[in-house]
Amino acid sequence: MAGVLPTTPTVPSPRRPLEASGTEGERVRSWYEGGLGWPTAPGAPVRLRVGVRFDVLDIPAEAGHAALRHRAGHFPVALRGERMLLLVAVGGADELPGLLDWLEWGSLELDLRAVGAGGLMDAPLPPECGLPASPREASSPGRDASQGAAVWLRPPGAGGEAEASLPALSALGGAGTAPDLARLVHTLATQCHRLRLSRARR
């Protein structure tokens, strides 16, 4: 019949792991809010509010893996696509520009970003939902991280244990077991710079 378009079956587009609704989404949100005390933003996918319990340093995953080999500590780290997200103590995002200047990295263009108060971070799947067995597995083709969904490389510990491990400025009373934020930033900046030079040579 003229003027009538043929109907085609609609195929639902693939959903990301945390875009679940109902029981699954409630379980994920409950793990963060009830288990860790980390506030989430309403809606789907589940996103964590940054600047309340932690800040985030966002760098290329390649530079991040190199940095973690040189810097001890068991603070939470996530992978999302080609980016690595390192959780640091609240206020770390505000300190980043000053630290980079103080460490004499401020004049260089580094692919090192900070997310602080008011920001959001895609919530990685809780470990019980399929934590990668190793960093290599997490970043290998076919894993959720390579497809854009965030996954934990180093999941947070329970309750206040997670925040006690976050890198902080020693002068501001960082926990004795937490890495020093200035040393971590120096290592991250070094690896970001090396990656930039390597890409320029290619």
Side-chain angles (χ1 to χ4, degrees):
M1 179 183 295
V4 177
L5 296 176
T7 59
T8 56
T10 57
V11 178
S13 54
R15 66 173 174 83
R16 293 174 46 203
L18 292 189
E19 287 176 344
S21 59
T23 305
E24 183 182 353
E26 291 169 7
R27 181 168 55 86
V28 169
R29 198 176 297 278
S30 175
W31 189 81
Y32 284 104
E33 293 189 345
L36 296 176
W38 290 1
T40 62
V46 178
R47 292 176 296 172
L48 305 173
R49 294 188 184 276
V50 181
V52 180
R53 306 297 293 268
F54 60 86
D55 284 358
V56 174
L57 300 182
D58 178 341
I59 65 171
E62 186 176 344
H65 283 297
L68 293 180
R69 288 194 293 270
H70 291 86
R71 185 57 54 199
H74 297 287
F75 54 95
V77 178
L79 291 173
R80 186 180 189 281
E82 298 299 321
R83 308 293 299 182
M84 182 176 286
L85 310 174
L86 299 94
L87 274 58
V88 299
V90 172
D94 293 334
E95 298 290 344
L96 182 63
L99 281 174
L100 290 174
D101 286 340
W102 181 63
L103 295 166
E104 300 184 350
W105 288 107
S107 62
L108 297 176
E109 291 185 10
L110 300 172
D111 193 2
L112 172 55
R113 312 166 192 165
V115 183
L120 296 173
M121 169 185 165
D122 284 357
L125 282 171
E128 63 194 36
C129 295
L131 177 72
S134 67
R136 177 175 297 177
E137 184 182 354
S139 57
S140 65
R143 296 299 303 182
D144 285 338
S146 65
Q147 297 169 359
V151 294
W152 284 115
L153 177 60
R154 292 179 180 174
E161 177 186 340
E163 280 136 46
S165 71
L166 298 179
L169 286 178
S170 298
L172 297 180
T177 58
D180 178 70
L181 181 62
R183 290 187 174 92
L184 175 63
V185 167
H186 177 65
T187 302
L188 297 177
T190 299
Q191 297 304 326
C192 284
H193 182 56
R194 287 178 177 172
L195 179 60
R196 179 171 171 264
L197 293 177
S198 174
R199 287 175 173 173
R201 284 195 296 269
R202 293 175 199 160

